[in-house]
Structure formats: structure tokens, C-alpha cells
């Protein structure tokens, strides 16, 4: 397929889907040939709306060219202007740096760091082949930002982080914006944080996302534990106590009631809507992810790419999980609560009550939440919110300022 036509189709589709909203982001996508950043890939694949893994370490993807939809969403959240100085952490193929360089123009500056020297060398070749010369590529651990290029009007991570590192805040210009995929109780959210004069970062743009996670000094702990030989992995929030997969395996081997739940849920509700609500309001939240085709919960997990999964509540002696109550449907479908172990019924009650509260709150999704990040040691007035997540370098305050605009029939 002709690359120009493929690119034009990709950009048209991103606009129609509302991912591209501004003329500046549209112009950048039209102007930078993505296929030159993915050499060796068929043109049609380079312009498909999919992430493309470009490096694996022990079978796990450690670098990828991100999905164009997600890149467009984040570029809109970033709000770049001509003349901005930008730091990207996670240069990868160099494609996003090239898009940003086009938007900030010759009066701006883009510095892109990647922890992997080989990737940086390859990104330099890609940028040269696309005739993009304004990007300063650096092999470095982005946990420390990159002081020589600062202060920055914008810092963007295209790799997931568990925390907000002090170096990133310190290297922001006054009023600057830090955009990052941040782990928030097991969900990953793309949050655009504006630095205020009081040192507090406020965010009114939250989107759901799924990025490869940081390596190096600020590497995330792997939150997945495989549960016995059930073919299921248990994922708990990064700020939750260490899970006991053996205990969960014993409980899952003790199925009890299965209760139909009122209302209908889609996959998006499970990860982005109700799943996020549950994570922010219930301490015992976890996710159960299928890692092998034959699992303890064979037919009723929600489809998640090639795997199945769901959200659940756990305690020492019980699990209650939201499951499908019928074959998977493209939109919202009927659901049930499956209970396991002696405490399963009590957890099931809590899960059903949480479902009611989420519906009453307008079926809030990621975009409805407002987050405030207070860096540790900030001499700011005491701020609080209904949900507070304490991390090593900051506190994240989460609130729902108004009923969700995405409210719909249960
Ligand atoms: C999803 S890819 C980024 C895609 C890239 N923005 C593009 O346009 O192709 C994430 C990248 O983050 C890099 N990375 C992981 N940990 C890092 C760290 N501590 N510092 C800098 N880069 C890191 C990985 O090597 C990987 O290339």
C-alpha cells in the first residue's frame, strides 16, 4: 500500500474518532511518516491503529511504538505550543519526538531520553531518515529527568510510572505541565498535571491507558502473581500489602454462590469505569487475569485482548469477582458476582453495594475523575479529597467533581 495514502487514512480515522482534535496535532501526524520509524514492517501495519512492539526482553515487550490513538490523545492532553521546550522520557522509536518537534517548531526544543542505548541509536537513524533534525536524543535513565535541557514547559513520559519523581517536578518551568501514565491503585491513567505556584500539581484531564512500565532506578514492582496452578494471575495495587497467591488459590478452589447483579457492564466498564471506581473506593480490590487458556473461571471472564480478566475483592478467606452472565457481547452485557471461600458472601455484598454506588454516581469513567498530586515535602495548605493514595514521593488526591456525563441506562 502507498505510504502517503495509508497515513492520510490513519489521520482521517483518528480525527473522526475524536482522538485528534487540534490542527497542530493533525498537521504533525500528516507530516511525519510513521513507517520510517518502523523499518521492516509492512506499510499497512505501520499505519494500523495498533501498538507495535519493537523490543522484547525474556519474552516481555520492553519497547514499542505506541498505538496512534493513544499518542493522539496524549498529544492533545500535552497542549504543546510553538517555542515550547519539551522533555520526553521513553524515546523508543523516536516517532513521538518527531511529532512533538514538528509542533514546537524551530523556536522550541525537544529532548528525548531512553534508558536503552541501542534504542537511542536506532531512533537517531529513524529521525534522520524522516529528515527530522531538531531532536536531542540522549541515552539516560529518565527517573532523573535530564537537567541539562531544563527547565521544560512540558515533560511527557511515554512509559508507565508508579510515582511522580521529584526530578520531574524540579525540572518543570513555572506553570509547566507533566504528562504521564501513572499507576493509580492498579489502574494506569494518563494524567496531565499542571504545576501551580504552591508546588501542587493539578489535573483536569485524565484518560485510561496501558503503557510498558519504567525500567531503571524508578522501576515498578511487578504487581502480578500467578495463583497456584489455576492459570490465573492476581494483580494488586502498588500501594496494597503484598498479596498471598497461595491463600487466594485455596479460596478460589472453594466456589460458593453465584448471584446475578443488576445492570449491564462492558469491558470498558470493567477496566476504566467500575474497575477504577472499585480501586479507588475499596481497599481489597484486585484483578484476576487469565494467563493460560484453562482457568478456574473458564467462561465468564471479560475479554481483554487475547486474555480474559476481571476485577474482584479479596480478603484472607474470600474472593468475590464480577463475571459475565452469558456469552461476551460487544457492548454492555449481563453480569453476576461469583463468590469463593467462607468470606465470599460478605465480599459479594460489598461488590454489589459498590456497583450500586457507581451507578448512582453516573457510571463514572477515568475521564470524570480529577486528580491532584501533592509532592512529598511540599509546603502547601493541607489538601484532602475523598480518596487519597499515598506514594513514596507524593500523595494523589482523587475526587469526582460532578456526576459523570457518560451516565447511561444500567
Ligand atoms: C512505549 S515505549 C515509547 C514509545 C516512543 N515514545 C515512540 O514514539 O516510539 C517506552 C520506552 O520507554 C523506555 N524506558 C523504559 N524505562 C525508561 C527509563 N527509566 N528512562 C527512559 N526510558 C525508559 C523503553 O526503553 C521504551 O523504549
Amino acid at each position: 500500500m502507498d505510504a502517503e495514502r495509508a497515513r492520510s487514512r490513519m489521520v482521517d480515522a483518528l480525527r473522526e474518532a475524536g482522538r485528534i482534535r487540534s490542527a497542530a496535532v493533525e498537521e504533525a501526524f500528516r507530516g511525519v511518516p510513521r513507517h520510517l520509524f518502523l523499518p521492516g514492517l509492512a506499510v499497512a501495519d505501520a499505519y494500523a491503529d495498533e501498538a507495535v512492539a519493537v523490543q522484547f526482553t525474556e519474552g516481555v515487550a520492553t519497547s514499542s511504538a505506541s498505538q496512534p490513538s493513544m499518542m493522539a490523545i496524549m498529544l492533545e492532553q500535552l497542549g504543546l505550543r510553538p517555542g515550547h521546550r519539551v522533555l520526553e522520557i521513553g524515546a523508543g522509536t523516536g516517532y513521538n519526538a518527531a511529532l512533538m518537534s514538528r509542533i514546537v517548531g524551530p523556536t522550541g526544543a525537544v529532548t528525548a531520553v531512553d534508558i536503552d542505548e541501542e534504542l537511542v541509536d536506532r531512533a537517531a537513524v529513524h529521525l534522520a531518515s524522516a529528515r527530522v533534525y531538531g531532536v536531542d536524543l540522549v541515552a539516560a535513565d529518565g527517573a532523573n529527568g535530564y537537567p541539562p535541557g531544563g527547565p521544560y514547559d512540558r515533560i511527557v513520559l511515554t512509559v508507565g510510572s508508579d510515582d511522580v519523581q521529584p526530578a520531574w517536578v524540579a525540572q518543570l518551568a513555572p506553570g509547566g505541565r507533566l504528562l504521564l501514565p501513572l499507576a493509580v491503585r492498579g489502574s494506569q491513567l494518563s494524567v496531565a498535571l499542571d504545576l501551580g505556584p504552591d508546588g501542587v500539581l493539578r489535573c483536569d484531564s485524565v484518560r485510561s491507558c496501558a503503557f510498558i512500565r519504567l525500567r531503571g532506578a524508578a522501576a515498578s514492582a511487578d504487581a502480578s502473581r500467578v495463583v497456584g496452578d489455576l492459570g490465573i494471575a492476581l494483580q494488586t495495587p502498588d500501594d496494597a500489602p503484598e498479596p498471598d497467591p497461595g491463600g487466594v488459590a485455596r479460596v478460589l478452589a472453594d466456589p460458593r454462590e453465584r448471584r446475578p447483579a443488576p445492570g449491564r457492564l462492558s469491558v470498558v466498564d470493567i477496566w476504566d469505569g467500575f474497575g477504577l471506581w472499585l480501586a479507588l473506593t475499596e481497599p481489597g480490590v484486585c484483578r484476576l487475569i487469565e494467563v493460560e487458556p484453562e482457568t478456574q473461571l473458564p467462561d465468564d471472564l471479560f475479554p481483554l485482548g487475547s486474555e480474559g480478566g476481571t476485577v474482584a475483592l479479596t480478603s484472607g478467606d474470600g474472593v468475590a469477582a464480577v463475571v459475565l452472565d452469558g456469552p461476551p457481547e460487544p457492548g454492555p452485557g449481563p453480569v453476576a458476582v461469583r463468590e469463593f471461600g467462607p468470606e465470599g458472601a460478605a465480599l459479594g455484598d460489598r461488590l454489589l453495594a459498590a456497583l450500586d454506588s457507581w451507578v448512582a454516581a453516573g457510571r463514572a469513567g477515568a475521564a470524570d475523575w480529577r486528580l491532584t498530586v501533592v509532592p512529598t515535602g511540599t509546603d502547601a495548605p493541607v489538601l484532602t479529597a475523598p480518596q487519597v493514595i499515598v506514594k513514596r514521593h507524593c500523595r494523589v488526591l482523587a475526587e469526582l467533581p460532578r456526576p459523570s456525563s457518560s451516565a447511561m441506562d444500567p
Side-chain angles (χ1 to χ4, degrees):
M1 190 196 284
D2 168 54
E4 288 214 6
R5 254 185 54 214
R7 184 154 74 254
S8 169
R9 274 194 203 166
M10 177 186 82
V11 180
D12 291 346
L14 292 175
R15 263 191 51 166
E16 273 159 38
R19 307 304 195 202
I20 292 179
R21 290 165 183 258
S22 66
V25 171
E26 177 176 349
E27 196 283 326
F29 272 105
R30 291 208 188 276
V32 180
R34 178 171 161 95
H35 66 286
L36 297 181
F37 293 81
L38 291 165
L41 201 69
V43 163
D45 294 334
Y47 289 100
D49 190 21
E50 275 166 26
V52 180
V54 295
Q55 180 180 269
F56 289 89
T57 308
E58 292 170 8
V60 177
T62 46
S63 186
S64 63
S66 308
Q67 184 186 14
S69 279
M70 195 63 227
M71 297 181 69
I73 289 170
M74 289 184 75
L75 285 172
E76 296 293 0
Q77 285 185 293
L78 195 55
L80 290 173
R81 304 270 175 275
H84 270 167
R85 300 180 66 80
V86 193
L87 172 65
E88 178 181 33
I89 296 169
T93 64
Y95 177 51
N96 193 49
L99 294 171
M100 296 196 298
S101 165
R102 207 159 165 115
I103 301 174
V104 301
T107 56
V110 176
T111 304
V113 304
D114 202 290
I115 197 165
D116 203 310
E117 199 157 355
E118 199 186 314
L119 288 171
V120 169
D121 291 345
R122 271 157 44 190
V125 173
H126 303 159
L127 285 163
S129 73
R131 297 176 188 275
V132 177
Y133 300 111
V135 176
D136 188 12
L137 277 172
V138 183
D141 185 340
N144 308 315
Y146 186 65
Y152 301 100
D153 302 296
R154 299 286 186 264
I155 297 179
V156 53
L157 275 81
T158 47
V159 56
S161 177
D162 279 357
D163 208 339
V164 176
Q165 294 297 318
W168 305 334
V169 182
Q171 289 166 34
L172 271 183
R177 183 172 294 173
L178 168 65
L179 175 67
L180 78 163
L182 182 65
V184 178
R185 296 211 26 92
S187 292
Q188 204 187 64
L189 303 175
S190 173
V191 293
L193 297 165
D194 289 328
L195 179 61
D198 55 359
V200 173
L201 299 133
R202 292 179 175 82
C203 168
D204 62 6
S205 176
V206 179
R207 299 287 180 272
S208 189
C209 63
F211 275 84
I212 285 169
R213 298 181 328 166
L214 275 174
R215 293 181 266 162
S220 318
D222 185 359
S224 274
R225 309 271 185 297
V226 173
V227 175
D229 54 4
L230 302 176
I232 284 178
L234 175 74
Q235 289 181 354
T236 49
D238 50 294
D239 57 335
E242 185 77 9
D244 168 20
V248 173
R250 268 195 310 282
V251 171
L252 286 177
D254 177 12
R256 304 275 175 115
E257 292 296 305
R258 177 192 174 100
R259 288 193 269 165
R264 301 166 76 87
L265 294 180
S266 67
V267 178
V268 174
D269 294 328
I270 280 295
W271 303 119
D272 178 27
F274 179 60
L276 179 58
W277 172 272
L278 199 64
L280 287 169
T281 57
E282 273 286 350
V285 70
C286 69
R287 291 171 181 206
L288 301 173
I289 308 287
E290 190 179 49
V291 287
E292 285 165 27
E294 288 301 311
T295 66
Q296 174 78 12
L297 306 164
D299 299 324
D300 41 20
L301 295 180
F302 289 81
L304 170 71
S306 54
E307 308 143 344
T310 194
V311 289
L313 292 179
T314 55
S315 67
D317 238 356
V319 169
V322 186
V323 293
L324 287 166
D325 204 17
E329 297 184 18
V335 290
V337 168
R338 274 189 101 178
E339 299 163 355
F340 301 85
E343 288 174 17
L347 291 170
D349 288 344
R350 268 169 49 194
L351 205 49
L352 288 164
L355 203 46
D356 282 347
S357 312
W358 174 67
V359 171
R363 301 176 69 102
D368 297 307
W369 288 89
R370 294 291 168 270
L371 301 184
T372 302
V373 170
V374 184
T376 305
T378 304
D379 188 18
V382 179
L383 297 169
T384 191
Q387 275 76 38
V388 180
I389 300 133
V390 179
K391 296 181 178 275
R392 179 161 172 233
H393 296 298
C394 68
R395 285 184 308 133
V396 180
L397 316 183
E399 61 189 324
L400 268 182
R402 57 191 153 71
S404 160
S405 53
S406 55
M408 52 186 187
D409 292 338

